[in-house]
mmCIF file with all atom_site columns, all heavy atoms in Angstrom:
data_model
loop_
_atom_site.group_PDB
_atom_site.id
_atom_site.type_symbol
_atom_site.label_atom_id
_atom_site.label_alt_id
_atom_site.label_comp_id
_atom_site.label_asym_id
_atom_site.label_entity_id
_atom_site.label_seq_id
_atom_site.pdbx_PDB_ins_code
_atom_site.Cartn_x
_atom_site.Cartn_y
_atom_site.Cartn_z
_atom_site.occupancy
_atom_site.B_iso_or_equiv
_atom_site.pdbx_formal_charge
_atom_site.auth_seq_id
_atom_site.auth_comp_id
_atom_site.auth_asym_id
_atom_site.auth_atom_id
_atom_site.pdbx_PDB_model_num
ATOM 1   N N   . ALA A 1 222 ? 2.895  -2.297  -22.651 1.00 0.00 ? 352 ALA A N   1
ATOM 2   C CA  . ALA A 1 222 ? 2.063  -2.602  -21.389 1.00 0.00 ? 352 ALA A CA  1
ATOM 3   C C   . ALA A 1 222 ? 2.641  -2.169  -20.125 1.00 0.00 ? 352 ALA A C   1
ATOM 4   O O   . ALA A 1 222 ? 3.883  -2.189  -20.041 1.00 0.00 ? 352 ALA A O   1
ATOM 5   C CB  . ALA A 1 222 ? 1.672  -4.079  -21.575 1.00 0.00 ? 352 ALA A CB  1
ATOM 6   N N   . PHE A 1 223 ? 1.683  -1.896  -19.322 1.00 0.00 ? 353 PHE A N   1
ATOM 7   C CA  . PHE A 1 223 ? 2.059  -1.808  -17.841 1.00 0.00 ? 353 PHE A CA  1
ATOM 8   C C   . PHE A 1 223 ? 1.220  -2.932  -17.181 1.00 0.00 ? 353 PHE A C   1
ATOM 9   O O   . PHE A 1 223 ? 0.120  -3.067  -17.207 1.00 0.00 ? 353 PHE A O   1
ATOM 10  C CB  . PHE A 1 223 ? 1.503  -0.590  -17.141 1.00 0.00 ? 353 PHE A CB  1
ATOM 11  C CG  . PHE A 1 223 ? 1.973  0.720   -17.748 1.00 0.00 ? 353 PHE A CG  1
ATOM 12  C CD1 . PHE A 1 223 ? 1.441  1.361   -18.810 1.00 0.00 ? 353 PHE A CD1 1
ATOM 13  C CD2 . PHE A 1 223 ? 3.184  1.379   -17.222 1.00 0.00 ? 353 PHE A CD2 1
ATOM 14  C CE1 . PHE A 1 223 ? 1.887  2.582   -19.310 1.00 0.00 ? 353 PHE A CE1 1
ATOM 15  C CE2 . PHE A 1 223 ? 3.611  2.522   -17.673 1.00 0.00 ? 353 PHE A CE2 1
ATOM 16  C CZ  . PHE A 1 223 ? 2.964  3.116   -18.762 1.00 0.00 ? 353 PHE A CZ  1
ATOM 17  N N   . VAL A 1 224 ? 2.054  -3.983  -16.621 1.00 0.00 ? 354 VAL A N   1
ATOM 18  C CA  . VAL A 1 224 ? 1.388  -5.124  -15.906 1.00 0.00 ? 354 VAL A CA  1
ATOM 19  C C   . VAL A 1 224 ? 1.476  -5.002  -14.406 1.00 0.00 ? 354 VAL A C   1
ATOM 20  O O   . VAL A 1 224 ? 2.510  -4.792  -13.794 1.00 0.00 ? 354 VAL A O   1
ATOM 21  C CB  . VAL A 1 224 ? 2.144  -6.412  -16.404 1.00 0.00 ? 354 VAL A CB  1
ATOM 22  C CG1 . VAL A 1 224 ? 1.510  -7.623  -15.782 1.00 0.00 ? 354 VAL A CG1 1
ATOM 23  C CG2 . VAL A 1 224 ? 2.122  -6.551  -17.862 1.00 0.00 ? 354 VAL A CG2 1
ATOM 24  N N   . VAL A 1 225 ? 0.370  -5.027  -13.855 1.00 0.00 ? 355 VAL A N   1
ATOM 25  C CA  . VAL A 1 225 ? 0.161  -4.715  -12.378 1.00 0.00 ? 355 VAL A CA  1
ATOM 26  C C   . VAL A 1 225 ? -0.125 -5.941  -11.555 1.00 0.00 ? 355 VAL A C   1
ATOM 27  O O   . VAL A 1 225 ? -1.052 -6.721  -12.046 1.00 0.00 ? 355 VAL A O   1
ATOM 28  C CB  . VAL A 1 225 ? -1.001 -3.671  -12.204 1.00 0.00 ? 355 VAL A CB  1
ATOM 29  C CG1 . VAL A 1 225 ? -1.144 -3.284  -10.723 1.00 0.00 ? 355 VAL A CG1 1
ATOM 30  C CG2 . VAL A 1 225 ? -0.591 -2.301  -12.951 1.00 0.00 ? 355 VAL A CG2 1
ATOM 31  N N   . SER A 1 226 ? 0.465  -6.084  -10.540 1.00 0.00 ? 356 SER A N   1
ATOM 32  C CA  . SER A 1 226 ? 0.260  -7.239  -9.576  1.00 0.00 ? 356 SER A CA  1
ATOM 33  C C   . SER A 1 226 ? 0.087  -6.671  -8.082  1.00 0.00 ? 356 SER A C   1
ATOM 34  O O   . SER A 1 226 ? 0.408  -5.471  -7.737  1.00 0.00 ? 356 SER A O   1
ATOM 35  C CB  . SER A 1 226 ? 1.132  -8.305  -9.744  1.00 0.00 ? 356 SER A CB  1
ATOM 36  O OG  . SER A 1 226 ? 0.571  -9.499  -9.152  1.00 0.00 ? 356 SER A OG  1
ATOM 37  N N   . SER A 1 227 ? -0.289 -7.580  -7.202  1.00 0.00 ? 357 SER A N   1
ATOM 38  C CA  . SER A 1 227 ? -0.529 -7.203  -5.777  1.00 0.00 ? 357 SER A CA  1
ATOM 39  C C   . SER A 1 227 ? -0.046 -8.407  -4.856  1.00 0.00 ? 357 SER A C   1
ATOM 40  O O   . SER A 1 227 ? -0.316 -9.448  -4.858  1.00 0.00 ? 357 SER A O   1
ATOM 41  C CB  . SER A 1 227 ? -2.117 -7.134  -5.533  1.00 0.00 ? 357 SER A CB  1
ATOM 42  O OG  . SER A 1 227 ? -2.430 -7.133  -4.178  1.00 0.00 ? 357 SER A OG  1
ATOM 43  N N   . PHE A 1 228 ? 0.945  -7.881  -3.987  1.00 0.00 ? 358 PHE A N   1
ATOM 44  C CA  . PHE A 1 228 ? 1.387  -8.722  -2.924  1.00 0.00 ? 358 PHE A CA  1
ATOM 45  C C   . PHE A 1 228 ? 0.234  -9.112  -1.949  1.00 0.00 ? 358 PHE A C   1
ATOM 46  O O   . PHE A 1 228 ? 0.149  -10.097 -1.354  1.00 0.00 ? 358 PHE A O   1
ATOM 47  C CB  . PHE A 1 228 ? 2.516  -8.189  -2.112  1.00 0.00 ? 358 PHE A CB  1
ATOM 48  C CG  . PHE A 1 228 ? 3.850  -7.994  -2.934  1.00 0.00 ? 358 PHE A CG  1
ATOM 49  C CD1 . PHE A 1 228 ? 4.283  -6.815  -3.261  1.00 0.00 ? 358 PHE A CD1 1
ATOM 50  C CD2 . PHE A 1 228 ? 4.434  -9.111  -3.295  1.00 0.00 ? 358 PHE A CD2 1
ATOM 51  C CE1 . PHE A 1 228 ? 5.561  -6.757  -4.043  1.00 0.00 ? 358 PHE A CE1 1
ATOM 52  C CE2 . PHE A 1 228 ? 5.650  -9.163  -4.050  1.00 0.00 ? 358 PHE A CE2 1
ATOM 53  C CZ  . PHE A 1 228 ? 6.277  -7.883  -4.377  1.00 0.00 ? 358 PHE A CZ  1
ATOM 54  N N   . GLY A 1 229 ? -0.672 -8.011  -1.740  1.00 0.00 ? 359 GLY A N   1
ATOM 55  C CA  . GLY A 1 229 ? -1.754 -8.234  -0.750  1.00 0.00 ? 359 GLY A CA  1
ATOM 56  C C   . GLY A 1 229 ? -2.609 -9.333  -1.161  1.00 0.00 ? 359 GLY A C   1
ATOM 57  O O   . GLY A 1 229 ? -3.106 -10.074 -0.379  1.00 0.00 ? 359 GLY A O   1
ATOM 58  N N   . LYS A 1 230 ? -3.006 -9.469  -2.344  1.00 0.00 ? 360 LYS A N   1
ATOM 59  C CA  . LYS A 1 230 ? -3.727 -10.606 -2.902  1.00 0.00 ? 360 LYS A CA  1
ATOM 60  C C   . LYS A 1 230 ? -3.014 -11.956 -2.793  1.00 0.00 ? 360 LYS A C   1
ATOM 61  O O   . LYS A 1 230 ? -3.639 -12.873 -2.311  1.00 0.00 ? 360 LYS A O   1
ATOM 62  C CB  . LYS A 1 230 ? -4.321 -10.379 -4.327  1.00 0.00 ? 360 LYS A CB  1
ATOM 63  C CG  . LYS A 1 230 ? -5.005 -9.101  -4.554  1.00 0.00 ? 360 LYS A CG  1
ATOM 64  C CD  . LYS A 1 230 ? -6.321 -9.048  -3.828  1.00 0.00 ? 360 LYS A CD  1
ATOM 65  C CE  . LYS A 1 230 ? -7.354 -7.870  -4.214  1.00 0.00 ? 360 LYS A CE  1
ATOM 66  N NZ  . LYS A 1 230 ? -6.721 -6.547  -3.981  1.00 0.00 ? 360 LYS A NZ  1
ATOM 67  N N   . THR A 1 231 ? -1.752 -11.903 -3.116  1.00 0.00 ? 361 THR A N   1
ATOM 68  C CA  . THR A 1 231 ? -1.029 -13.192 -3.299  1.00 0.00 ? 361 THR A CA  1
ATOM 69  C C   . THR A 1 231 ? -0.635 -13.711 -1.871  1.00 0.00 ? 361 THR A C   1
ATOM 70  O O   . THR A 1 231 ? -0.520 -14.953 -1.740  1.00 0.00 ? 361 THR A O   1
ATOM 71  C CB  . THR A 1 231 ? 0.282  -12.937 -4.101  1.00 0.00 ? 361 THR A CB  1
ATOM 72  O OG1 . THR A 1 231 ? -0.189 -12.488 -5.466  1.00 0.00 ? 361 THR A OG1 1
ATOM 73  C CG2 . THR A 1 231 ? 1.067  -14.220 -4.312  1.00 0.00 ? 361 THR A CG2 1
ATOM 74  N N   . TYR A 1 232 ? -0.489 -12.813 -0.896  1.00 0.00 ? 362 TYR A N   1
ATOM 75  C CA  . TYR A 1 232 ? 0.175  -13.266 0.314   1.00 0.00 ? 362 TYR A CA  1
ATOM 76  C C   . TYR A 1 232 ? -0.900 -13.020 1.432   1.00 0.00 ? 362 TYR A C   1
ATOM 77  O O   . TYR A 1 232 ? -0.586 -13.154 2.725   1.00 0.00 ? 362 TYR A O   1
ATOM 78  C CB  . TYR A 1 232 ? 1.399  -12.596 0.650   1.00 0.00 ? 362 TYR A CB  1
ATOM 79  C CG  . TYR A 1 232 ? 2.531  -13.095 -0.310  1.00 0.00 ? 362 TYR A CG  1
ATOM 80  C CD1 . TYR A 1 232 ? 2.851  -12.296 -1.389  1.00 0.00 ? 362 TYR A CD1 1
ATOM 81  C CD2 . TYR A 1 232 ? 3.107  -14.260 -0.207  1.00 0.00 ? 362 TYR A CD2 1
ATOM 82  C CE1 . TYR A 1 232 ? 3.837  -12.723 -2.302  1.00 0.00 ? 362 TYR A CE1 1
ATOM 83  C CE2 . TYR A 1 232 ? 4.125  -14.752 -0.916  1.00 0.00 ? 362 TYR A CE2 1
ATOM 84  C CZ  . TYR A 1 232 ? 4.405  -13.905 -2.210  1.00 0.00 ? 362 TYR A CZ  1
ATOM 85  O OH  . TYR A 1 232 ? 5.337  -14.347 -3.011  1.00 0.00 ? 362 TYR A OH  1
ATOM 86  N N   . HIS A 1 233 ? -2.250 -12.808 1.188   1.00 0.00 ? 363 HIS A N   1
ATOM 87  C CA  . HIS A 1 233 ? -3.275 -12.653 2.155   1.00 0.00 ? 363 HIS A CA  1
ATOM 88  C C   . HIS A 1 233 ? -3.025 -11.524 3.112   1.00 0.00 ? 363 HIS A C   1
ATOM 89  O O   . HIS A 1 233 ? -3.260 -11.641 4.354   1.00 0.00 ? 363 HIS A O   1
ATOM 90  C CB  . HIS A 1 233 ? -3.462 -13.930 2.982   1.00 0.00 ? 363 HIS A CB  1
ATOM 91  C CG  . HIS A 1 233 ? -3.190 -15.246 2.235   1.00 0.00 ? 363 HIS A CG  1
ATOM 92  N ND1 . HIS A 1 233 ? -3.915 -15.526 1.033   1.00 0.00 ? 363 HIS A ND1 1
ATOM 93  C CD2 . HIS A 1 233 ? -2.492 -16.285 2.558   1.00 0.00 ? 363 HIS A CD2 1
ATOM 94  C CE1 . HIS A 1 233 ? -3.629 -16.674 0.680   1.00 0.00 ? 363 HIS A CE1 1
ATOM 95  N NE2 . HIS A 1 233 ? -2.642 -17.177 1.513   1.00 0.00 ? 363 HIS A NE2 1
ATOM 96  N N   . VAL A 1 234 ? -2.377 -10.277 2.626   1.00 0.00 ? 364 VAL A N   1
ATOM 97  C CA  . VAL A 1 234 ? -2.146 -9.340  3.393   1.00 0.00 ? 364 VAL A CA  1
ATOM 98  C C   . VAL A 1 234 ? -2.641 -8.033  2.737   1.00 0.00 ? 364 VAL A C   1
ATOM 99  O O   . VAL A 1 234 ? -1.846 -7.008  2.461   1.00 0.00 ? 364 VAL A O   1
ATOM 100 C CB  . VAL A 1 234 ? -0.704 -9.103  3.833   1.00 0.00 ? 364 VAL A CB  1
ATOM 101 C CG1 . VAL A 1 234 ? -0.292 -10.145 4.853   1.00 0.00 ? 364 VAL A CG1 1
ATOM 102 C CG2 . VAL A 1 234 ? 0.235  -9.321  2.662   1.00 0.00 ? 364 VAL A CG2 1
ATOM 103 N N   . THR A 1 235 ? -3.889 -7.925  2.530   1.00 0.00 ? 365 THR A N   1
ATOM 104 C CA  . THR A 1 235 ? -4.485 -6.751  1.651   1.00 0.00 ? 365 THR A CA  1
ATOM 105 C C   . THR A 1 235 ? -4.123 -5.480  2.403   1.00 0.00 ? 365 THR A C   1
ATOM 106 O O   . THR A 1 235 ? -4.064 -4.449  1.738   1.00 0.00 ? 365 THR A O   1
ATOM 107 C CB  . THR A 1 235 ? -5.935 -6.861  1.474   1.00 0.00 ? 365 THR A CB  1
ATOM 108 O OG1 . THR A 1 235 ? -6.657 -6.926  2.644   1.00 0.00 ? 365 THR A OG1 1
ATOM 109 C CG2 . THR A 1 235 ? -6.161 -8.104  0.619   1.00 0.00 ? 365 THR A CG2 1
ATOM 110 N N   . GLY A 1 236 ? -4.198 -5.393  3.780   1.00 0.00 ? 366 GLY A N   1
ATOM 111 C CA  . GLY A 1 236 ? -3.972 -4.258  4.461   1.00 0.00 ? 366 GLY A CA  1
ATOM 112 C C   . GLY A 1 236 ? -2.529 -3.632  4.309   1.00 0.00 ? 366 GLY A C   1
ATOM 113 O O   . GLY A 1 236 ? -2.200 -2.586  4.777   1.00 0.00 ? 366 GLY A O   1
ATOM 114 N N   . TRP A 1 237 ? -1.557 -4.460  3.828   1.00 0.00 ? 367 TRP A N   1
ATOM 115 C CA  . TRP A 1 237 ? -0.182 -3.898  3.698   1.00 0.00 ? 367 TRP A CA  1
ATOM 116 C C   . TRP A 1 237 ? -0.212 -3.014  2.465   1.00 0.00 ? 367 TRP A C   1
ATOM 117 O O   . TRP A 1 237 ? 0.765  -2.252  2.313   1.00 0.00 ? 367 TRP A O   1
ATOM 118 C CB  . TRP A 1 237 ? 0.674  -5.175  3.311   1.00 0.00 ? 367 TRP A CB  1
ATOM 119 C CG  . TRP A 1 237 ? 1.021  -5.900  4.582   1.00 0.00 ? 367 TRP A CG  1
ATOM 120 C CD1 . TRP A 1 237 ? 0.250  -6.010  5.748   1.00 0.00 ? 367 TRP A CD1 1
ATOM 121 C CD2 . TRP A 1 237 ? 2.104  -6.728  4.647   1.00 0.00 ? 367 TRP A CD2 1
ATOM 122 N NE1 . TRP A 1 237 ? 0.944  -6.748  6.608   1.00 0.00 ? 367 TRP A NE1 1
ATOM 123 C CE2 . TRP A 1 237 ? 1.969  -7.369  6.017   1.00 0.00 ? 367 TRP A CE2 1
ATOM 124 C CE3 . TRP A 1 237 ? 3.017  -7.221  3.875   1.00 0.00 ? 367 TRP A CE3 1
ATOM 125 C CZ2 . TRP A 1 237 ? 2.867  -8.268  6.552   1.00 0.00 ? 367 TRP A CZ2 1
ATOM 126 C CZ3 . TRP A 1 237 ? 3.977  -8.164  4.430   1.00 0.00 ? 367 TRP A CZ3 1
ATOM 127 C CH2 . TRP A 1 237 ? 3.971  -8.726  5.669   1.00 0.00 ? 367 TRP A CH2 1
ATOM 128 N N   . LYS A 1 238 ? -1.145 -3.036  1.543   1.00 0.00 ? 368 LYS A N   1
ATOM 129 C CA  . LYS A 1 238 ? -1.180 -2.084  0.340   1.00 0.00 ? 368 LYS A CA  1
ATOM 130 C C   . LYS A 1 238 ? 0.073  -2.013  -0.415  1.00 0.00 ? 368 LYS A C   1
ATOM 131 O O   . LYS A 1 238 ? 0.778  -0.929  -0.496  1.00 0.00 ? 368 LYS A O   1
ATOM 132 C CB  . LYS A 1 238 ? -1.656 -0.768  0.883   1.00 0.00 ? 368 LYS A CB  1
ATOM 133 C CG  . LYS A 1 238 ? -3.164 -0.649  1.209   1.00 0.00 ? 368 LYS A CG  1
ATOM 134 C CD  . LYS A 1 238 ? -4.091 -1.123  0.062   1.00 0.00 ? 368 LYS A CD  1
ATOM 135 C CE  . LYS A 1 238 ? -4.010 -0.118  -1.173  1.00 0.00 ? 368 LYS A CE  1
ATOM 136 N NZ  . LYS A 1 238 ? -4.888 -0.787  -2.345  1.00 0.00 ? 368 LYS A NZ  1
ATOM 137 N N   . THR A 1 239 ? 0.570  -3.131  -0.732  1.00 0.00 ? 369 THR A N   1
ATOM 138 C CA  . THR A 1 239 ? 1.870  -3.151  -1.495  1.00 0.00 ? 369 THR A CA  1
ATOM 139 C C   . THR A 1 239 ? 1.625  -3.983  -2.817  1.00 0.00 ? 369 THR A C   1
ATOM 140 O O   . THR A 1 239 ? 1.230  -5.148  -2.792  1.00 0.00 ? 369 THR A O   1
ATOM 141 C CB  . THR A 1 239 ? 2.981  -3.826  -0.607  1.00 0.00 ? 369 THR A CB  1
ATOM 142 O OG1 . THR A 1 239 ? 3.158  -3.153  0.654   1.00 0.00 ? 369 THR A OG1 1
ATOM 143 C CG2 . THR A 1 239 ? 4.419  -3.776  -1.315  1.00 0.00 ? 369 THR A CG2 1
ATOM 144 N N   . GLY A 1 240 ? 2.143  -3.314  -3.916  1.00 0.00 ? 370 GLY A N   1
ATOM 145 C CA  . GLY A 1 240 ? 2.029  -4.097  -5.084  1.00 0.00 ? 370 GLY A CA  1
ATOM 146 C C   . GLY A 1 240 ? 3.199  -3.662  -6.043  1.00 0.00 ? 370 GLY A C   1
ATOM 147 O O   . GLY A 1 240 ? 4.226  -3.060  -5.541  1.00 0.00 ? 370 GLY A O   1
#
Side-chain angles (χ1 to χ4, degrees):
F353 301 89
V354 182
V355 177
S356 195
S357 165
F358 291 115
K360 300 296 191 300
T361 299
Y362 294 99
H363 322 308
V364 285
T365 60
W367 287 17
K368 290 301 296 178
T369 304

